[in-house]
Amino acid sequence: MADHLTQKDGESTWYVRLAVPADVRHAFGGRAKLIKTTGTSNRAEAMVRRLPYLAQWKAQIAAAREQKFVAGDQWRLAQHQAGLNLTAHRNDAVTRIYTPLSPHETKPDFSWFEQLPEMISDLRNEGQDILASRLTDYAKRYVAALENGITAGAGIDLHNELLTLMADMEAACIADEYSLSDAEHQEAKAIVHNPAMYKPVSPITDGRLEKFRSYRVKEGIADKTIDQQESKLKKLSHHLRDQGKPLTNEIVAGWLETLNLSSKTKAQYLLAGSTFWKWAMKNDSHWQELHKGQDNPFKEQELPKVRGKAKVEAARKAFTQEQIEGLYKAAKDQGRQSLCDLIELGSYTGCRIEELAQLRKETVVKIEGILSFKIEDSKTAAGIREIPVHPAIQATVERLIATSTDGFLLPASTGNKYGIRSDSFSKAFGRLKTGEGYGRQHVFHSVRAMVVTLLLRAGVVGPTVANIVGHETGLVTFDVYDEGASPRQKLEALSNLSFDLT
């Protein structure tokens, strides 16, 4: 593998050298190679010193390629749109020539003909003598045709010739504006004459997504959240590529219509898109140029609102005492002891499934003389708490501690790629409840909802219930100043829970 080190004739100093790819040499003043002294004749030291130079050069090459890529799509997109406009003009002309004017219509506007002398002059000033001569010749023949009377067929021929001239002029302007090569100029002409041959690439490129990911990682965003949002952005990118459409408010709205998803899920797609848009508009100069003056297309999107009965039917439901007892029995009949333990611990604590999966032997401690589970990490600050061990599950807890082989109370096969240990439990519970006839409204979180419901109906005050399940109350008095219920008070509250889990 090349180490990019070299020495000049008669010198002992090592130099770092990198060949510049032909496609980006324009960004390096036409140079075919980059070279820099390492300032040392010690090869081992030179190997270390070369790295910053190589990293910088490779980053510059990547940036040049990205810039060329974006610029390339800009001029191709411009030609594509110009071609579509000219096609629309051609169709409109054919309709007008062959369809008599109605009494309410006016004759076609030929004021554009008065602009020809100025257009010809501009072309000559820009060195486009051939186009200027073609346009001059066309003007003479057009005037002669007007004087002699234009038939429908001749009118269409003249109009098509004008549109061909305008297409070539568009390509010439683009070639000048973007300093296109001869081959790129020919491609620009081909696109404007036949816009269907080109589909705009998606501006949501893999390179941008990778930079966006790096930014989000530095911001401390959870890997799962990053992956989920990136997946949504890739789906939009594929849509833009497949449809050959730019990223606009209308295109995003149309794309959402194709997704057979709930309004809540579509809102998550919009959040992912808006987060990416804001990042790109702040950190990506090429994106800023590409979308200059454009509003965030993910904002102000209208989503269907779920109301009344449909909203109630879509909402998650709490299990009843009888239902959770039935699920426990089903798990026991299947010989799923770990699933039985999960259901039992959840029913007597109201814990989230990942909180249960993270319980370890050392998290079972005595707080003010009360044996409790110490929840040391949770999705919210309020979730970090202690929950007394209900007497009904004390024997189960002791058994789990005694039989643990890895320190965790609940044995799991493996965690998922995000380190979420409850993944296997969640899937197992999902299969169990589905097999027992429960649908999307019932998930493991429905156990937690059941605990809250049973405690409140037993007369336990709201703040104490919140202390047990790890919720904020929304009131400064309880969330900021109150130290919360004592272990004894929480144990007394939990004593209202009773299940036949045998």
Side-chain angles (χ1 to χ4, degrees), residues 118-132 168-177 185:
E118 183 180 351
M119 294 169 64
I120 293 170
S121 176
D122 289 341
L123 286 171
R124 294 198 183 282
N125 291 335
E126 294 169 3
Q128 300 289 342
D129 292 334
I130 294 178
L131 279 174
D168 289 346
M169 290 166 59
E170 285 281 355
C173 291
I174 285 291
D176 180 66
E177 181 180 352
H185 184 188

Side-chain angles (χ1 to χ4, degrees), residues 323-344:
Q323 287 173 334
I324 205 64
E325 290 172 349
L327 284 171
Y328 180 91
K329 184 178 185 302
K332 187 174 182 180
D333 290 343
Q334 295 174 21
R336 308 292 298 278
Q337 186 57 53
S338 293
L339 202 49
C340 289
D341 294 336
L342 176 75
I343 293 172
E344 188 175 359

Side-chain angles (χ1 to χ4, degrees), residues 352-370:
R352 301 176 177 90
I353 192 168
E354 182 62 17
E355 291 172 346
L356 294 174
Q358 293 294 339
L359 288 176
R360 301 178 63 89
K361 293 191 290 186
E362 61 268 24
T363 59
V364 182
V365 295
K366 281 196 173 184
I367 308 292
E368 297 181 17
I370 304 296

Side-chain angles (χ1 to χ4, degrees), residues 36 50 62 79 121 191 241 278 342 349 351 394 401 447:
K36 191 80 172 179
R50 73 194 168 107
Q79 291 302 86
S121 176
I191 292 173
R241 181 197 63 201
K278 291 176 182 177
L342 176 75
T349 63
C351 281
Q394 187 165 339
I401 291 175
V447 180

Side-chain angles (χ1 to χ4, degrees), residues 348-349 370-373 386-390 487-488 490-491 494:
Y348 280 104
T349 63
I370 304 296
L371 190 66
S372 304
F373 296 114
E386 294 86 30
I387 307 171
V389 176
H390 193 290
R488 177 65 60 184
K490 286 189 280 190
L491 181 59
L494 288 170

Side-chain angles (χ1 to χ4, degrees), residues 107-398:
K107 291 183 178 181
D109 181 11
F110 292 104
S111 61
W112 58 269
F113 188 74
E114 299 174 0
Q115 302 173 16
L116 284 182
E118 183 180 351
M119 294 169 64
I120 293 170
S121 176
D122 289 341
L123 286 171
R124 294 198 183 282
N125 291 335
E126 294 169 3
Q128 300 289 342
D129 292 334
I130 294 178
L131 279 174
S133 297
R134 286 174 59 189
L135 194 56
T136 300
D137 180 60
Y138 172 83
K140 291 178 180 178
R141 286 185 289 107
Y142 185 81
V143 170
L146 282 179
E147 292 175 349
N148 298 326
I150 303 178
T151 64
I156 291 177
D157 290 341
L158 278 170
H159 194 79
N160 284 341
E161 184 179 350
L162 175 62
L163 293 177
T164 298
L165 267 168
M166 293 179 66
D168 289 346
M169 290 166 59
E170 285 281 355
C173 291
I174 285 291
D176 180 66
E177 181 180 352
Y178 287 91
S179 301
L180 301 184
S181 65
D182 289 342
E184 289 171 331
H185 184 188
Q186 293 305 313
E187 183 183 352
K189 289 177 65 174
I191 292 173
V192 75
H193 282 290
N194 181 18
M197 70 174 287
Y198 172 71
K199 286 189 176 183
V201 298
S202 168
I204 307 175
T205 62
D206 289 343
R208 284 198 172 100
L209 286 176
E210 187 60 35
K211 292 176 183 177
F212 181 54
R213 168 178 285 275
S214 298
Y215 168 79
R216 302 277 278 167
V217 169
K218 290 180 181 178
E219 290 290 301
I221 307 301
D223 289 344
K224 184 177 181 180
T225 300
I226 294 174
D227 284 351
Q228 288 175 336
Q229 292 194 336
E230 184 174 297
S231 174
K232 292 175 173 62
L233 290 168
K234 284 184 176 180
K235 289 178 182 178
L236 172 58
S237 182
H238 293 160
H239 176 79
L240 297 176
R241 181 197 63 201
D242 294 341
Q243 297 296 315
K245 300 293 186 180
L247 180 58
T248 64
N249 186 282
E250 293 75 18
I251 296 303
V252 171
W255 172 60
L256 290 174
E257 288 294 324
T258 68
L259 302 177
N260 185 24
L261 301 170
S262 67
S263 293
K264 182 179 179 180
T265 304
K266 288 182 179 180
Q268 294 172 353
Y269 276 77
L270 291 175
L271 175 61
S274 188
T275 303
F276 177 81
W277 175 275
K278 291 176 182 177
W279 167 82
M281 290 300 285
K282 182 178 179 181
N283 299 283
D284 190 318
S285 59
H286 302 316
W287 182 279
Q288 294 165 5
E289 181 66 25
L290 189 62
H291 299 283
K292 183 184 297 183
Q294 182 180 341
D295 292 333
N296 185 337
F298 301 96
K299 291 289 188 181
E300 310 302 329
Q301 293 287 351
E302 293 186 6
L303 297 176
K305 293 183 179 180
V306 182
R307 302 179 184 275
K309 182 179 179 181
K311 190 171 185 178
V312 171
E313 290 177 348
R316 288 179 177 174
K317 293 183 177 180
F319 284 118
T320 65
Q321 179 176 334
E322 293 75 15
Q323 287 173 334
I324 205 64
E325 290 172 349
L327 284 171
Y328 180 91
K329 184 178 185 302
K332 187 174 182 180
D333 290 343
Q334 295 174 21
R336 308 292 298 278
Q337 186 57 53
S338 293
L339 202 49
C340 289
D341 294 336
L342 176 75
I343 293 172
E344 188 175 359
L345 293 181
S347 299
Y348 280 104
T349 63
C351 281
R352 301 176 177 90
I353 192 168
E354 182 62 17
E355 291 172 346
L356 294 174
Q358 293 294 339
L359 288 176
R360 301 178 63 89
K361 293 191 290 186
E362 61 268 24
T363 59
V364 182
V365 295
K366 281 196 173 184
I367 308 292
E368 297 181 17
I370 304 296
L371 190 66
S372 304
F373 296 114
K374 190 174 181 64
I375 308 298
E376 297 177 323
D377 192 16
S378 183
K379 63 183 294 184
T380 64
I384 300 174
R385 63 201 188 280
E386 294 86 30
I387 307 171
V389 176
H390 193 290
I393 61 171
Q394 187 165 339
T396 298
V397 173
E398 291 173 353

Side-chain angles (χ1 to χ4, degrees), residues 62-76:
R65 279 184 169 147
E66 178 77 8
Q67 184 173 13
K68 184 176 181 181
F69 170 80
V70 173
D73 198 48
Q74 283 179 318
W75 67 256
R76 290 182 176 93

